[in-house]
Amino acid sequence: MDQNQHLNKTAEAQPSENKKTRYCNGLKMFLAALSLSFIAKTLGAIIMKSSIIHIERRFEISSSLVGFIDGSFEIGNLLVIVFVSYFGSKLHRPKLIGIGCFIMGIGGVLTALPHFFMGYYRYSKETNINSSENSTSTLSTCLINQILSLNRASPEIVGKGCLKESGSYMWIYVFMGNMLRGIGETPIVPLGLSYIDDFAKEGHSSLYLGILNAIAMIGPIIGFTLGSLFSKMYVDIGYVDLSTIRITPTDSRWVGAWWLNFLVSGLFSIISSIPFFFLPQTPNKPQKERKASLSLHVLETNDEKDQTANLTNQGKNITKNVTGFFQSFKSILTNPLYVMFVLLTLLQVSSYIGAFTYVFKYVEQQYGQPSSKANILLGVITIPIFASGMFLGGYIIKKFKLNTVGIAKFSCFTAVMSLSFYLLYFFILCENKSVAGLTMTYDGIVQPELKSLALGFHSMVIRALGGILAPIYFGALIDTTCIKWSTNNCGTRGSCRTYNSTSFSRVYLGLSSMLRVSSLVLYIILIYAMKKKYQEKDINASENGSVMDEANLESLNKNKHFVPSAGADSETHC
């Protein structure tokens, strides 16, 4: 009898164990797939930034226009981010992420397509003599006695082939491809993190998030490496005899094989999308079982009635969701602390995005280093520091158990330190190059139902006003420092060949510094407002406690019994 009971218990426990194992395996598979998508996302971001300078030269466009092209990623993201954040969790999240990765890959491939339609790159016949060209192999801060000689193209060349090159609005393909990348990238973070938060064990979500962020660092490592490698390759490699090319990567007319960057990142994104289409909607319910249950349900006799009822309920739910969306949206917009936080992060992120977009151009113009070397240097410097900063920030917050006000103070302190180091760049500016012929409700808990929408709206504002506008106005101001524009075959202005390096540095560093200082002012106001709000909350709590104590004393006098208040000691006295 005991043996039979033992067998029955074992048989009952076995399905439970199988279900648990299947649940864990499903979540691990999702984490592995999401890791690939994070790598693809960060790889694409670095690839675009490192290719900016080559796109500008290849399409003969200004810095402001190339900044607008760079911002098209944020335009695509902006089109769908709020709705993905709000409605995405109610749909099949793994498949939505897979579709997003596929679209992101198609966008990368589309970005590279103009290279195959535009014909060979014909650099202008200006003379570019760099007397210290060989010195770029060293890591000297400034190039000493650098003299450039830039002469205009001969009149015979101007006008030749004009009709063919007048169709070089091919940059629109780059714009559209980058916008597709933005649309595809949208569901990866909000839906991926919400999926983990819903199905991971309590307390494990932060661990998985840390792992994902660490793995995502592989993307920038690959991106900087590829950017450096392909920047050394001539744009038409494999199509022209390289022995006939008279310019080198140190020449301001040089265009690297930028299109190879986007082909590699695009194909990687498409590959990363494949696993998501084989994952179930929830980890504990495999795809096959779900389909089998649906098939049995179709065979039921009352299926049509059930479907009609479901459609009616879905219509009501959609109306309810839309109404709830606008109510939630109004709620976060009327929270002054949240709005202030959005504004200060907008200023900070605008500074970072604008500076990073043109950092390769800055290194090239200020220190005379080619973009291939700038890729390696920035990768070696920024990736370890960025990863260390993320780790230390999380460790300090957890170690000292900082509350919301404490986190705001800590963020303000790090922003001040960052600005202080950034201002040091003003003291290491190089002299302008000699150019012959030219110069010689914030209660600590921002409500659970509003968290996703608040994050989505915050991201939308940052992308719209920071990601889109910052590269444009940074580029427009950088254009004002140009002292030598190229001339295409039609005789119209192309891209900038040489900048006044002193003015370039002042504009580049000054604009970024002003944005950071403005954000610090808002930080101080935010911290003051938060402290004031918490003090009022503590005063109200103490007043409520006093009222309750008075009520208990009255009850004691009337009934001769003491009823302890919520904040009183649990010990009773008779």
Side-chain angles (χ1 to χ4, degrees):
M1 187 70 175
D2 294 338
Q3 186 176 2
N4 291 335
Q5 289 179 349
H6 177 71
L7 291 173
N8 290 335
K9 289 181 180 179
T10 303
E12 291 175 359
Q14 192 170 5
S16 178
E17 289 294 326
N18 291 337
K19 185 178 180 180
K20 184 177 180 181
T21 303
R22 190 173 62 205
Y23 181 91
C24 293
N25 289 338
L27 186 60
K28 289 178 181 178
M29 289 173 63
F30 179 81
L31 284 171
L34 193 63
S35 298
L36 281 178
S37 68
F38 266 59
I39 294 174
K41 179 175 73 74
T42 53
L43 171 62
I46 296 298
I47 287 297
M48 186 64 197
K49 298 297 184 184
S50 64
S51 301
I52 283 289
I53 193 169
H54 301 286
I55 292 173
E56 178 179 341
R57 292 172 181 170
R58 182 65 181 96
F59 295 96
E60 293 285 356
I61 54 180
S62 64
S63 295
S64 56
L65 181 53
V66 83
F68 177 62
I69 293 173
D70 181 59
S72 63
F73 178 88
E74 315 297 346
I75 294 175
N77 206 293
L78 179 64
L79 293 175
V80 293
I81 188 168
V82 173
F83 298 98
V84 166
S85 300
Y86 190 78
F87 296 109
S89 59
K90 301 171 177 59
L91 304 174
H92 197 299
R93 284 175 284 188
K95 283 188 177 180
L96 283 178
I97 296 174
I99 293 171
C101 289
F102 184 78
I103 293 174
M104 190 165 61
I106 294 298
V109 174
L110 178 62
T111 303
L113 279 185
H115 169 75
F116 301 98
F117 301 143
M118 290 183 66
Y120 300 153
Y121 171 56
R122 294 185 293 175
Y123 51 88
S124 57
K125 303 302 180 182
E126 299 156 338
T127 306
N128 188 357
I129 303 172
N130 186 347
S131 61
S132 55
E133 180 175 324
N134 293 331
S135 65
T136 57
S137 60
T138 66
L139 291 178
S140 57
T141 305
C142 297
L143 299 179
I144 308 300
N145 298 325
Q146 184 180 13
I147 300 177
L148 300 178
S149 177
L150 293 173
N151 300 321
R152 291 184 177 274
S154 61
E156 292 79 8
I157 295 174
V158 176
K160 184 179 180 181
C162 176
L163 185 61
K164 182 177 181 181
E165 289 203 355
S166 63
S168 26
Y169 287 101
M170 287 284 185
W171 59 263
I172 294 177
Y173 283 93
V174 181
F175 179 91
M176 296 299 295
N178 202 36
M179 187 165 66
L180 276 181
R181 284 184 53 248
I183 293 174
E185 188 260 1
T186 305
I188 294 176
V189 174
L191 298 189
L193 297 186
S194 66
Y195 190 92
I196 292 172
D197 194 49
D198 288 344
F199 299 112
K201 290 182 180 179
E202 187 176 356
H204 285 203
S205 297
S206 57
L207 173 63
Y208 293 144
L209 179 59
I211 292 173
L212 284 172
N213 286 328
I215 293 176
M217 289 294 101
I218 297 175
I221 293 173
I222 298 174
F224 281 120
T225 304
L226 291 179
S228 177
L229 177 64
F230 294 144
S231 292
K232 296 177 183 178
M233 299 180 182
Y234 187 64
V235 61
D236 292 321
I237 186 172
Y239 296 92
V240 298
D241 183 6
L242 297 181
S243 63
T244 62
I245 305 302
R246 303 302 181 190
I247 57 176
T248 65
T250 59
D251 196 298
S252 62
R253 295 166 294 174
W254 177 268
V255 176
W258 61 274
W259 53 277
L260 283 174
N261 283 319
F262 291 101
L263 279 183
V264 171
S265 64
L267 292 175
F268 184 82
S269 295
I270 292 173
I271 293 172
S272 70
S273 71
I274 296 174
F276 289 103
F277 294 102
F278 298 95
L279 292 174
Q281 187 169 2
T282 57
N284 60 339
K285 194 170 186 180
Q287 196 82 346
K288 291 183 179 179
E289 285 189 12
R290 189 162 58 87
K291 287 183 178 179
S293 63
L294 288 174
S295 299
L296 291 174
H297 182 67
V298 171
L299 296 176
E300 293 179 359
T301 55
N302 295 328
D303 180 54
E304 293 182 359
K305 294 181 179 180
D306 292 340
Q307 286 182 354
T308 303
N310 287 335
L311 288 174
T312 304
N313 291 332
Q314 286 179 2
K316 293 180 180 178
N317 289 334
I318 291 173
T319 304
K320 185 178 180 181
N321 286 335
V322 172
T323 304
F325 170 77
F326 286 108
Q327 290 177 347
S328 301
F329 196 64
K330 180 182 178 181
S331 179
I332 63 173
L333 287 181
T334 53
N335 186 334
L337 294 180
Y338 173 76
V339 172
M340 199 179 304
F341 173 74
V342 170
L343 290 177
L344 73 88
T345 51
L346 170 63
L347 292 172
Q348 278 189 318
V349 172
S350 296
S351 171
Y352 301 147
I353 291 176
F356 189 63
T357 299
Y358 298 102
V359 68
F360 298 97
K361 182 190 290 287
Y362 177 78
V363 171
E364 180 186 73
Q365 293 293 325
Q366 182 64 210
Y367 305 115
Q369 302 297 330
S371 60
S372 58
K373 186 170 289 186
N375 271 280
I376 291 296
L377 291 175
L378 288 170
V380 170
I381 294 171
T382 58
I383 293 176
I385 292 177
F386 185 73
S388 301
M390 287 196 302
F391 172 78
L392 287 175
Y395 176 77
I396 291 172
I397 291 172
K398 184 176 181 181
K399 176 71 175 178
F400 296 98
K401 298 179 180 178
L402 299 180
N403 58 15
T404 309
V405 178
I407 293 174
K409 290 180 179 179
F410 177 62
S411 299
C412 183
F413 171 76
T414 56
V416 170
M417 294 299 296
S418 175
L419 176 62
S420 301
F421 283 110
Y422 194 78
L423 292 177
L424 294 178
Y425 288 135
F426 284 101
F427 298 98
I428 55 174
L429 299 182
C430 298
E431 293 182 1
N432 195 33
K433 294 184 288 291
S434 299
V435 183
L438 291 176
T439 63
M440 251 1 238
T441 62
Y442 205 89
D443 291 333
I445 300 177
V446 161
Q447 299 175 17
E449 64 271 16
L450 298 181
K451 182 170 65 174
S452 296
L453 180 61
L455 290 173
F457 178 74
H458 176 266
S459 181
M460 181 191 73
V461 172
I462 297 302
R463 292 177 182 277
L465 303 180
I468 297 174
L469 293 183
I472 296 175
Y473 60 73
F474 263 81
L477 289 175
I478 288 172
D479 283 337
T480 63
T481 67
C482 183
I483 55 178
K484 173 60 181 176
W485 293 91
S486 67
T487 304
N488 61 25
N489 288 338
C490 295
T492 57
R493 194 180 79 175
S495 59
C496 184
R497 293 290 183 236
T498 305
Y499 294 86
N500 183 313
S501 58
T502 303
S503 300
F504 184 102
S505 301
R506 288 173 179 170
V507 165
Y508 177 80
L509 298 176
L511 180 57
S512 182
S513 299
M514 285 192 296
L515 290 171
R516 296 187 186 201
V517 170
S518 301
S519 70
L520 287 180
V521 173
L522 286 178
Y523 252 128
I524 295 171
I525 297 173
L526 176 66
I527 293 171
Y528 174 78
M530 291 173 66
K531 289 178 68 176
K532 185 176 180 181
K533 189 174 185 66
Y534 274 108
Q535 289 173 355
E536 290 177 354
K537 183 180 178 182
D538 293 339
I539 292 172
N540 292 333
S542 61
E543 289 178 352
N544 291 335
S546 300
V547 171
M548 293 179 67
D549 289 338
E550 291 176 2
N552 287 330
L553 288 174
E554 290 179 2
S555 176
L556 177 62
N557 292 330
K558 291 181 180 179
N559 303 324
K560 305 300 181 184
H561 293 288
F562 179 73
V563 181
S565 65
D569 194 7
S570 58
E571 184 177 348
T572 58
H573 301 275
C574 299

